[in-house]
Amino acid sequence: MLAALAGGVGAARFLAGLVRVRPPEHLTAIVNTADDEEFHGLHVAPDLDSVTYTLAGASDPVQGWGLAGESFRVLEALGRYDAPTWFRLGDRDLATHLYRSERLRSGAPLSLVTAEIAGAWGLGFTLLPMTDDRVRTRITVRRPTGDTTELAMQEWFVRERCEPPVVSVRFDGAATARPAPGVIEAIERAETIVICPSNPVISIGPILAIPGVRDALVARRDRVVAVSPIVAGAPVKGPADRLMGPLGLDVSCVGVAAAYREFCATLVIDAADAARADEVEAQGVRAVVTDTMMVGPEVAAVLADTTLAAVRSEEHTSELQSRG
């Protein structure tokens, strides 16, 4: 059995590779929901939907989110009423949000609704939100005047295009949230736990902030492997560099190792960072060097296979050392 912590487009692409090399029914993906927000009265869950659409083979291959061949006529019509339309919701994508919102209003937990949506899209693996409770990422930024403002994650990421400098990040509601049913159990029973190539601060950070999750990972540290989302000092996709630096993390695979070392034994890094493998290992994290740039599903599958093999290799090495 496999468990994966996931958030964002990079995670979705990695998971698409993972189910090509392992039976999907053996996988449980635990997905960040702190990016969720309400738009036009609808509950939108960007990371859950990116994973769903990508693994259903329905996502937009260019932008990496939303549905391929999407139209935006509803959003254009909303503009007539001066409604905010900066968060782009496609016409067919709206069906998912309408269904999710109605089910949540009827009292169904997010984990149940997520399972229903995953089933409707024919996903063969278990898709779990990190929690059924409300957790939201809030980012404090500095304005040109020197004043600070707290923004919802989507306001900073989409509306303001990650431009305001980040001062701090918090996960509102995380301290009192509970892991969704099955989250801790998936980590405890998994042969391998993978931390996908996701933003360490706002994709993986919220999952770790849910009480019980970090402790469960620490207890399984030898079985945890992560894929660095930072290659040659820059994120493959997304604003990780604009968040890691201000929060005191080096924007590099070494910084990822430092952030994860408490609960992660192995880090897969790109060949472009091979020269930094010793620095990663100085953090107490084993480095495995390979091609991590997922330019296509076949490459993603090879990366997934290499990532899983890294844990098996580490286990074999440990056995030999103990015998010696």
Side-chain angles (χ1 to χ4, degrees):
M1 302 300 288
L2 305 172
L5 275 59
V9 174
R13 290 175 176 167
F14 179 85
L15 291 172
L18 187 58
V19 299
R20 292 170 70 100
V21 297
R22 293 295 184 276
E25 61 269 22
H26 291 181
L27 171 66
T28 297
I30 301 162
V31 179
N32 168 46
T33 56
D35 291 359
D36 292 14
E37 285 293 347
E38 280 206 354
F39 295 97
H40 315 297
L42 302 177
H43 183 118
V44 179
D47 284 357
L48 284 170
D49 293 341
S50 288
V51 170
T52 298
Y53 296 160
T54 299
L55 273 80
S59 65
D60 186 314
V62 177
Q63 60 190 9
W65 53 267
L67 289 162
E70 189 63 279
S71 58
F72 296 89
R73 297 185 68 179
V74 172
L75 209 65
E76 291 165 4
L78 277 169
R80 181 187 300 274
Y81 305 108
D82 292 326
T85 58
W86 52 266
F87 195 86
R88 302 285 287 172
L89 297 174
D91 297 333
R92 291 184 297 126
D93 186 28
L94 281 169
T96 300
H97 311 315
L98 284 163
Y99 179 80
R100 178 188 293 117
S101 302
E102 181 59 30
R103 291 288 287 126
L104 292 173
R105 279 193 290 269
S106 74
L110 181 59
S111 53
L112 175 58
V113 181
T114 298
E116 293 170 351
I117 293 172
W121 282 95
L123 303 188
F125 62 96
T126 301
L127 184 60
L128 294 177
M130 65 185 192
T131 180
D132 283 332
D133 299 319
R134 179 185 172 88
V135 176
R136 297 292 181 265
T137 297
R138 296 293 181 253
I139 300 177
T140 297
V141 302
R142 191 170 303 282
R143 299 299 189 185
T145 60
D147 296 333
T148 58
T149 306
E150 187 174 71
L151 301 174
M153 185 273 174
Q154 300 298 347
E155 291 176 328
W156 177 76
F157 182 59
V158 179
R159 190 186 70 191
E160 306 208 16
R161 302 183 180 184
C162 309
E163 292 176 358
V166 173
V167 176
S168 63
V169 176
R170 69 185 183 93
F171 308 120
D172 185 45
T176 57
R178 297 157 296 176
V183 166
I184 299 300
E185 293 81 0
I187 294 172
E188 290 177 340
R189 71 171 184 262
E191 176 187 349
T192 302
I193 303 106
V194 179
I195 301 175
C196 295
S198 303
N199 189 309
V201 178
I202 57 173
S203 291
I204 302 302
I207 305 176
L208 298 173
I210 304 300
V213 172
R214 182 184 285 267
D215 289 344
L217 291 171
V218 170
R220 303 294 316 284
R221 183 181 185 274
D222 288 348
R223 311 303 304 175
V224 179
V225 57
V227 180
S228 176
I230 308 296
V231 174
V236 176
K237 190 175 181 63
D241 54 334
R242 304 187 190 192
L243 291 155
M244 293 175 67
L247 299 182
L249 292 171
D250 186 43
V251 184
S252 69
C253 59
V254 180
V256 176
Y260 290 171
R261 61 188 170 190
E262 180 188 13
F263 50 82
C264 177
T266 305
L267 182 67
V268 178
I269 66 175
D270 192 78
D273 288 315
R276 305 203 69 177
D278 288 347
E279 295 176 75
V280 169
E281 299 203 337
Q283 299 294 326
V285 179
R286 177 172 172 252
V288 173
V289 180
T290 191
D291 180 9
T292 66
M293 301 297 288
M294 295 178 286
V295 295
E298 294 80 10
V299 178
V302 171
L303 173 60
D305 200 39
T306 301
T307 300
L308 298 179
V311 175
R312 295 195 301 272
S313 173
E314 174 66 12
E315 180 182 43
H316 180 63
T317 300
S318 299
E319 288 179 356
L320 291 177
Q321 291 174 342
S322 65
R323 291 173 187 173

